[in-house]
Amino acid sequence: MGYQSNLKQSTHSDNAKILLTYVAKHKTKFFLLLAIILSLNTHWMVLREWHMPTYGNTMIHIASARHVVEHGEYPLIDYSYGGGIANLYVPHYRMLVATTSILTGFSLDFTSRMLVLLFAILLPLGFFLLTRRLFDENTAVFAALFSILPGEMLIYTVRPLPQALGLILLPIAFHAFLGRKQFLMFFLAFIITFTHQEAVAYLFGAVGVFLAFTVLHILWRLFVSKQFNHQIHSDLVRKSLFLLVLCISVYLLWQFIMIGHINVFELAQFKNHEGNTVSLDSYLLKTGNLVVSFSLLGLLISLSFLLRNLLSDVNNISAEMKGGIFVFFTFFASALSSFFILNGFSLSRNASFVSISFPIFLGPLEGTEIIFISIVVALFFVFVIKALFEKSKSFMKSDKIAHLFLLALFFAGFFAVKNDAVGIRVFMDRFLVYLQQPLIIFASLGANGIVEFVNSLRK
Amino acid sequence: MGSGRIFISPGVARILTFAAFALVLLVSAAAAYFFNEDMNKAKWQSDAWMNPVITQKEERAMQWVRENTVEREVFVTDIFGGEHLMGETLREGTEGGDWAIVPEVVPRMSDVNEFFKTSDSAKAHEIAKKYGANFALIPDRQLFAGFEWLSPDRSKFSNSDYFEMVYQDGEMQIFEIK
């Protein structure tokens, strides 16, 4: 009996080992599948009502698609506001709905809802691809999972809208931009330009900011570090310029053909300043606590990475001084971030009293307590960052270009959301969902930073 | 000791392993809790956008529209009614759609809003004709013409000098504008 019991125990233990080995070996696929299932779960509500959602002018796209289905041509005259005006809205999404309906025989309503479910599958995959290109597979898995969380992302991808297609295509286009498949990049940029105006505006802005960063990087390399790599930098500048010219010229050509001028500021959305300002409360609500908190951590990791690289390029400062500057900056930035979160996402002291009730009860916190906790958190963060740099084999070894590109996406999104600050005042709230793209990747960088830190301790 | 390693007895190692395992479980549970909470919040926020607004009676009326009017016929509609009408039948509403290059679009919204609110038949008739509408689509729901949600004043349609009811399904009505 004793022998048999030992044998059974050993078999169970072997099976458990095999299972664990199998899960560990296929963990990326497992988590990707989980992300897709969760994304489908959140988008499933599009099938709930007797009619597809109509909020967000969804039916105007159905009108153009129906015209294609019934007449075999794209309508150049719009059906909007009594008709008689040019159909300025870019046509790709509408053509996609029409051709899918023709090919499948499904109604336009059902086709639109099925496309939403397809977008739900592609959403985590796009973030996975882009983040894997930027960093590594583990960070990419987090990005796939986090892409499901922001409320605004769901609001814009669960309705049958061109925005949804644009949001799905953008990470894939950025992935192509950073890779070697230039034809795919230009093709996707062309598709996005004809899919949605805001999506192409964000693509244009992000690549524009990245071009500016690249030029600054080149100047730094030329005059400070003296390590200019002609091939990498000229390739980035060339790609960025081509992409900018392609997006702007294709869209303006379309607008000129349709309405005879290229002045976008003449459009009603600009003249009437359509859109609302984004308050901190709406940003937090529509982005979600997890993405907001982890993205702040990811942003700090990214900035620390760039600072460390910049400092390593400078020759006339001692190693001790470099270490001091690095620690000071990291400590200060993380203390400020911690204070910002604990102080009810505000920098003005005692703006609100945060009560932490899970997993331990702390609070309501007062100003001095928040400062004390922030100092402890910042010290811990400095320890984490130093451990990541010194002990993690892969995490902090990513390319500087990846961090610069992610920061470019962030600044383009941030500027678009706060365009009211420079007097443009159009679609600030509509651009929040584009800002959430880099925030999701920053959040995944932050979350994987924690995992890597735990791993480095274990080692 | 010479190698600089710390000796841990098997008992302590077991306790440490158990503690590490418990910590991983706790952190995973907390992460899952917050993940689920954020996901549910996202679903809750999106839920409000799933309402189709238009009614099933409105949908049924589209059959009559297709059979009795020509393509691009103009109807007085609110935003949701106009967009539904164009999507289902390729007819046009006085409101609804992309307003990017619509001339005088804000006064148009103001006029159509007034069309629904007023009890004055002549005034409503004048507004409808100003925008080339030969029909008015009055659904069995509240309307939104750009400024406010409102219940249309139906009394104006009783004046047969200006309006004639050509379709009715309960409160879903279509009037021809003379």
Side-chain angles (χ1 to χ4, degrees):
Chain A
M1 281 297 282
Y3 170 73
Q4 279 182 341
S5 163
N6 280 347
L7 193 68
K8 252 186 194 170
Q9 211 169 18
S10 161
T11 315
H12 285 154
S13 155
D14 287 349
N15 286 341
K17 269 184 191 164
I18 290 166
L19 183 70
L20 281 175
T21 311
Y22 183 82
V23 170
K25 194 177 168 189
H26 298 279
K27 70 175 191 299
T28 302
K29 286 179 194 161
F30 169 76
F31 279 114
L32 258 185
L33 183 66
L34 179 68
I36 290 170
I37 290 169
L38 290 174
S39 183
L40 279 170
N41 169 260
T42 54
H43 287 79
W44 204 254
M45 66 174 81
V46 74
L47 297 177
R48 193 185 60 200
E49 297 286 346
W50 65 274
H51 195 280
M52 66 183 241
T54 57
Y55 274 114
N57 315 104
T58 58
M59 292 301 286
I60 67 174
H61 310 296
I62 295 294
S64 287
R66 186 175 296 286
H67 189 104
V68 174
V69 171
E70 294 186 8
H71 296 289
E73 61 180 18
Y74 188 76
L76 297 177
I77 300 297
D78 201 353
Y79 287 91
S80 299
Y81 288 88
I85 51 167
N87 198 357
L88 176 65
Y89 208 106
V90 281
H92 263 152
Y93 171 78
R94 298 160 172 197
M95 292 297 290
L96 176 69
V97 174
T99 46
T100 311
S101 172
I102 292 166
L103 291 173
T104 59
F106 294 142
S107 70
L108 291 166
D109 180 318
F110 188 71
T111 301
S112 303
R113 299 197 214 201
M114 287 299 110
L115 285 174
V116 165
L117 295 183
L118 177 67
F119 297 160
I121 294 170
L122 293 175
L123 180 71
L125 289 178
F127 277 96
F128 176 81
L129 279 178
L130 174 58
T131 312
R132 190 176 61 176
R133 168 78 70 192
L134 287 168
F135 301 109
D136 55 50
E137 201 158 280
N138 290 344
T139 312
V141 166
F142 277 112
L145 287 165
F146 284 152
S147 69
I148 302 155
L149 297 182
E152 192 76 343
M153 187 65 79
L154 182 57
I155 287 170
Y156 275 103
T157 54
V158 76
R159 290 176 292 162
L161 283 172
Q163 280 98 321
L165 180 59
L167 285 164
I168 299 306
L169 291 176
L170 274 169
I172 304 171
F174 291 137
H175 163 75
F177 177 80
L178 293 165
R180 293 181 188 279
K181 292 173 184 162
Q182 300 208 358
F183 172 76
L184 179 65
M185 175 191 81
F186 290 123
F187 175 72
L188 284 170
F190 179 78
I191 294 281
I192 289 170
T193 306
F194 272 137
T195 296
H196 196 246
Q197 282 94 332
E198 285 155 27
V200 74
Y202 179 66
L203 176 68
F204 185 84
V207 174
V209 175
F210 181 64
L211 177 63
F213 282 176
T214 309
V215 171
L216 287 174
H217 193 207
I218 289 170
L219 293 174
W220 175 268
R221 282 285 170 112
L222 278 174
F223 296 109
V224 182
S225 74
K226 320 276 188 197
Q227 292 168 351
F228 180 63
N229 183 327
H230 174 265
Q231 193 170 353
I232 293 175
H233 289 104
S234 61
D235 184 44
L236 283 172
V237 170
R238 195 176 58 242
K239 271 200 296 191
S240 304
L241 280 173
F242 275 162
L243 201 80
L244 292 176
V245 171
L246 175 84
C247 293
I248 195 94
S249 56
V250 167
Y251 176 72
L252 290 181
L253 186 66
W254 165 263
Q255 182 173 316
F256 184 77
I257 290 169
M258 295 309 287
I259 59 175
H261 68 81
I262 58 168
N263 186 359
V264 293
F265 295 100
E266 277 297 305
L267 304 181
Q269 284 88 346
F270 281 93
K271 284 204 284 195
N272 294 291
H273 297 289
E274 186 176 356
N276 300 306
T277 52
V278 178
S279 69
L280 199 57
D281 284 343
S282 69
Y283 162 72
L284 295 173
L285 177 70
K286 291 175 177 181
T287 308
N289 292 331
L290 223 51
V291 171
V292 166
S293 306
F294 279 121
S295 64
L296 213 50
L297 181 62
L299 183 62
L300 284 174
I301 288 175
S302 226
L303 291 174
S304 305
F305 177 90
L306 288 172
L307 179 70
R308 193 180 161 100
N309 273 279
L310 287 178
L311 287 170
S312 70
D313 282 346
V314 183
N315 297 321
N316 53 355
I317 302 178
S318 68
E320 288 78 17
M321 179 64 98
K322 282 180 187 175
I325 293 172
F326 179 73
V327 167
F328 173 77
F329 167 80
T330 311
F331 174 81
F332 183 73
S334 50
L336 204 66
S337 308
S338 170
F339 182 85
F340 178 71
I341 293 176
L342 291 173
N343 204 37
F345 294 94
S346 167
L347 286 180
S348 49
R349 198 158 174 257
N350 293 343
S352 68
F353 296 119
V354 177
S355 176
I356 300 173
S357 57
F358 181 88
I360 47 168
F361 182 76
L362 275 179
L365 299 174
E366 287 184 20
T368 45
E369 289 167 338
I370 293 173
I371 290 171
F372 177 74
I373 294 172
S374 300
I375 290 170
V376 173
V377 167
L379 287 171
F380 181 67
F381 181 74
V382 171
F383 174 59
V384 169
I385 281 289
K386 283 184 81 67
L388 283 173
F389 274 119
E390 287 160 15
K391 296 197 174 170
S392 171
K393 276 188 182 161
S394 59
F395 185 65
M396 297 309 273
K397 309 290 184 288
S398 47
D399 193 353
K400 282 183 284 295
I401 299 297
H403 290 274
L404 282 179
F405 188 77
L406 186 53
L407 281 171
L409 297 188
F410 173 75
F411 281 115
F414 186 78
F415 174 77
V417 167
K418 295 305 296 174
N419 74 61
D420 52 318
V422 291
I424 299 175
R425 284 191 293 124
V426 66
F427 287 156
M428 295 78 72
D429 48 348
R430 297 257 198 109
F431 279 112
L432 178 58
V433 73
Y434 296 93
L435 174 62
Q436 285 174 348
Q437 296 212 336
L439 290 180
I440 285 166
I441 302 174
F442 272 132
S444 60
L445 192 65
N448 197 35
I450 292 174
V451 172
E452 282 287 329
F453 172 67
V454 173
N455 279 341
S456 69
L457 287 186
R458 203 179 58 183
K459 282 168 194 165
Chain B
M1 287 297 281
S3 64
R5 287 175 177 270
I6 300 165
F7 176 75
I8 299 171
S9 72
V12 175
R14 264 199 300 277
I15 291 168
L16 282 178
T17 310
F18 178 77
F21 185 68
L23 188 69
V24 168
L25 267 184
L26 189 72
V27 170
S28 304
Y33 170 83
F34 285 117
F35 190 94
N36 187 52
E37 198 176 54
D38 277 3
M39 197 169 67
N40 285 336
K41 263 190 211 163
K43 281 161 88 171
W44 167 75
Q45 287 172 60
S46 307
D47 202 55
W49 297 89
M50 293 299 103
N51 187 347
V53 183
I54 51 154
T55 68
Q56 299 202 35
K57 285 183 179 174
E58 210 169 342
E59 176 85 354
R60 283 201 291 273
M62 295 303 109
Q63 171 98 8
W64 182 91
V65 171
R66 272 187 170 273
E67 288 169 0
N68 295 281
T69 62
V70 294
E71 255 183 40
R72 294 200 181 265
E73 181 70 80
V74 181
F75 287 66
V76 181
T77 61
D78 74 331
I79 289 175
F80 290 95
E83 289 174 0
H84 178 235
L85 181 78
M86 70 168 84
E88 295 292 342
T89 68
L90 301 184
R91 273 64 175 171
E92 293 164 354
T94 48
E95 283 205 27
D98 180 14
W99 68 325
I101 52 165
V102 178
E104 300 296 322
V105 66
V106 177
R108 172 188 279 260
M109 285 181 175
S110 176
D111 284 344
V112 176
N113 201 60
E114 185 57 26
F115 173 91
F116 291 120
K117 280 174 83 172
T118 187
S119 58
D120 185 336
S121 308
K123 190 177 178 184
H125 183 267
E126 188 189 332
I127 292 170
K129 286 298 172 192
K130 180 180 174 186
Y131 294 107
N134 291 322
F135 294 90
L137 198 134
I138 312 297
D140 54 329
R141 60 173 170 84
Q142 286 226 305
L143 303 174
F144 186 76
F147 298 102
E148 60 193 319
W149 285 97
L150 57 89
S151 296
D153 189 323
R154 293 172 192 259
S155 65
K156 60 181 161 279
F157 297 118
S158 56
N159 189 332
S160 58
D161 289 345
Y162 297 110
F163 302 103
E164 181 188 347
M165 190 164 68
V166 289
Y167 177 88
Q168 183 172 28
D169 179 6
E171 281 207 322
M172 170 65 229
Q173 297 168 318
I174 298 175
F175 296 93
E176 186 172 0
I177 300 161
K178 292 180 175 174

